[in-house]
Amino acid sequence: MPLDRRIVDEFVGVLGAADVLSDPIKTRTYECDGLTGYRVVPELVLLPRTAEAVAECVKVCARHGVPFVARGAGTGLSGGALPVADGVVIGLNRLNRVLEVDPENRRAVLEPGVTNLEITAAASPFGLYYAPDPSSQQVCTIGGNVAENSGGAHCLKYGFTTNHVLSIEVVLPDGSLVTLGSDSAEQSGPDLRGVFLGSEGTLGITTKITVRLLRTPETMRTLLADFPSVAAGGQVVSDIVSAGIVPAAVEMMDALAIEAAEGATGAGYSLDTPAALVVELDGTAEECDDQFEQVKAICDRHGCTRLHIAGSPEERAAIWRGRKAAFAAVGRISPDYIVQDGVVPRTRLSEVLDKIAEMADDAGLRVANVFHAGDGNLHPLVLYSEADGEVERAEELSSGIAELCVAMGGSLSGEHGIGTDKACSMPTMFGEDDLEAFHRVRTAFDPGDICNPGKLFPTPRLCGERPGKYRPHPLEEQGAIERL
């Protein structure tokens, strides 16, 4: 049902007509995020320029029960920014200023539309950088990173977004503007900052973030190693960690991912190898040199067929360009694909990858693997063709892989979130009591269920049943149906 004209006029009164999009051609731009299989055209798109304007927009939504979805660059891969048909999208791209870089206290204050890479660009003149680095760091925004608790290649050693955010200013679903956390390492009271980080936009909208900056390492050493099998590469990862070495990054790519990445970037990857590892060490020169020799010896012990050591910053950048372009590059070898995201114990990597290959064969589809091997964070890319009617098989295979990760002792998501994509898989990882607790937290922030509804939580079992504390369905009360 279209929004009442009086509600639209209230949004126009807050933002001005130019910042309220209602033309279906323009609002269609916001119909999906990076998970393009799910599309919903929003009723309106609001483009505020300040935190106060975001708060005023949310107050209008709260007053009229209008659902809203916050959106940054739209690079999410789990449908977390999927619009609601009778709701509004609140775009945060215009809140894109680096408000402060404080080198003395090693922190930066940012608006949510600042891209991940822009943080390090602003900090680098002071010999500092921002550690979490998703592969999409050139375009993904820090607001989205906060919503998904994003990771990246260097999170094995340095941790995820939650480990680097000191405080956040947020607009709650009633339109109030509050700050969670503090600029110091300590804070009083419960850790509501921690509750909000990774809540996938279901508790409110982030409007300002204070992040921790790290000193740029004295030395970085990077190698690219080929192996005769994914299993051999996986064993190298385990042996590196068992030796007491914590690399800055350990990334693995299989043959399909290498084919796509090399074709797109010409980064120097071997096209005839079943698996390749990117290993990066950082620290003091002496520490790096010692550990680098150990890593090379471990690679040799497991049948490394080619070892390329980056001899310059340009060669290092080329290696990373190939790895970070892998997701997009897969479009060169398949018309459509789904990027899945799951976690398994590192020691079970080979077992899980073998099982994924079996599942792909059974489905008659191909799966390319490129992943953060050091922390067991898989990113299988399920290749399919919508034109050939393979959508349903691809979605089933993708969901099956995510649930396989849970069965192997892992998790449904490492860094991309649950969103729309895996909400219905949540009961494979959590019991009813767990989900009930999650609902209670959510409804404490958002009792009206207007803040990014339909994400993260499994679809209610009965039509009309709402997330939150159990309330009998009207048909139950009439005795027409029974609760399972």
Side-chain angles (χ1 to χ4, degrees), residues 254-279:
D254 71 5
L256 263 181
I258 292 169
E259 175 190 343
E262 182 62 19
T265 66
Y269 288 77
S270 304
L271 290 174
D272 58 352
T273 185
L277 276 182
V278 176
V279 183

Side-chain angles (χ1 to χ4, degrees), residues 52 54-60 62 68 170-177:
E52 290 73 20
V54 174
E56 291 304 314
C57 290
V58 172
K59 285 178 182 175
V60 174
F68 61 90
V170 303
V171 175
L172 297 177
D174 65 356
S176 56
L177 194 62

Side-chain angles (χ1 to χ4, degrees), residues 185-273:
E186 300 296 332
Q187 60 179 328
S188 59
D191 182 16
L192 295 178
R193 179 212 61 91
V195 173
F196 204 94
L197 263 288
S199 60
E200 305 192 17
T202 61
L203 305 183
I205 300 177
T206 307
T207 50
K208 188 164 67 178
I209 304 104
T210 301
V211 301
R212 189 194 316 275
L213 301 174
L214 303 182
R215 183 165 294 285
T216 304
E218 175 184 311
T219 302
M220 285 180 280
R221 302 289 302 276
T222 306
L223 66 79
L224 176 63
D226 297 344
F227 292 93
S229 68
V230 171
Q235 193 57 51
V236 167
V237 177
S238 292
D239 283 9
I240 289 173
V241 176
S242 296
I245 300 170
V246 182
V250 184
E251 302 287 296
M252 185 181 287
M253 301 168 69
D254 71 5
L256 263 181
I258 292 169
E259 175 190 343
E262 182 62 19
T265 66
Y269 288 77
S270 304
L271 290 174
D272 58 352
T273 185

Side-chain angles (χ1 to χ4, degrees), residues 26-373:
K26 294 180 178 177
T27 57
R28 185 172 291 280
T29 302
Y30 298 82
E31 66 179 354
C32 67
D33 58 13
L35 185 67
T36 57
Y38 296 89
R39 298 169 186 263
V40 176
V41 179
E43 178 82 14
L44 287 180
V45 176
L46 311 177
L47 300 173
R49 298 170 187 269
T50 66
E52 290 73 20
V54 174
E56 291 304 314
C57 290
V58 172
K59 285 178 182 175
V60 174
C61 292
R63 198 154 52 238
H64 299 287
V66 176
F68 61 90
V69 177
R71 175 189 165 108
T75 58
L77 293 165
S78 61
L82 183 72
V84 177
D86 57 351
V88 301
V89 166
I90 300 179
L92 301 171
N93 305 71
R94 292 175 175 173
L95 280 74
N96 58 3
R97 296 176 298 164
V98 176
L99 299 173
E100 180 186 7
V101 176
D102 177 1
E104 187 173 350
N105 291 297
R106 294 189 186 179
R107 65 190 182 199
V109 184
L110 315 153
E111 290 187 323
V114 174
T115 68
N116 180 287
L117 196 59
E118 286 172 338
I119 306 172
T120 290
S124 60
F126 305 99
L128 303 171
Y129 79 111
Y130 179 64
D133 58 341
S135 297
S136 57
Q137 67 178 147
Q138 294 186 39
V139 289
C140 69
T141 59
I142 184 65
N145 293 173
V146 167
E148 304 296 338
N149 188 22
S150 301
H154 292 89
C155 290
L156 170 64
K157 184 172 184 177
Y158 294 105
F160 284 64
T161 300
T162 191
N163 303 114
H164 298 269
V165 171
L166 295 169
S167 68
I168 46 178
E169 177 190 83
V170 303
V171 175
L172 297 177
D174 65 356
S176 56
L177 194 62
V178 303
T179 297
L180 308 178
S182 74
D183 288 349
S184 67
E186 300 296 332
Q187 60 179 328
S188 59
D191 182 16
L192 295 178
R193 179 212 61 91
V195 173
F196 204 94
L197 263 288
S199 60
E200 305 192 17
T202 61
L203 305 183
I205 300 177
T206 307
T207 50
K208 188 164 67 178
I209 304 104
T210 301
V211 301
R212 189 194 316 275
L213 301 174
L214 303 182
R215 183 165 294 285
T216 304
E218 175 184 311
T219 302
M220 285 180 280
R221 302 289 302 276
T222 306
L223 66 79
L224 176 63
D226 297 344
F227 292 93
S229 68
V230 171
Q235 193 57 51
V236 167
V237 177
S238 292
D239 283 9
I240 289 173
V241 176
S242 296
I245 300 170
V246 182
V250 184
E251 302 287 296
M252 185 181 287
M253 301 168 69
D254 71 5
L256 263 181
I258 292 169
E259 175 190 343
E262 182 62 19
T265 66
Y269 288 77
S270 304
L271 290 174
D272 58 352
T273 185
L277 276 182
V278 176
V279 183
E280 184 161 279
L281 302 172
D282 66 7
T284 64
E286 183 178 356
E287 179 185 16
C288 281
D289 288 346
D290 176 59
Q291 292 185 348
F292 209 72
E293 291 304 315
Q294 293 183 62
V295 169
K296 287 195 295 182
I298 293 170
C299 289
D300 288 341
R301 194 160 66 236
H302 290 283
C304 176
T305 54
R306 175 191 177 232
L307 189 70
H308 171 62
I309 299 170
S312 67
E314 291 74 21
E315 288 189 9
R316 173 179 177 266
I319 291 173
W320 279 114
R321 186 169 63 251
R323 163 60 186 88
K324 294 201 172 190
F327 285 5
V330 165
R332 298 172 65 90
I333 61 173
S334 177
D336 304 289
Y337 60 94
I338 299 171
V339 182
Q340 191 45 276
D341 164 48
V343 179
V344 297
R346 189 175 51 246
T347 52
R348 304 192 73 174
L349 276 175
S350 296
E351 185 182 356
V352 170
L353 291 169
D354 286 345
K355 183 63 179 173
I356 290 174
E358 290 177 16
M359 294 167 67
D361 286 344
D362 291 343
L365 298 171
R366 296 181 297 167
V367 173
N369 290 288
V370 49
F371 53 95
H372 311 309

Side-chain angles (χ1 to χ4, degrees), residues 6-17 20:
R6 289 169 295 182
I7 300 175
V8 177
D9 288 343
E10 287 192 47
F11 288 126
V12 171
V14 171
L15 299 178
V20 178

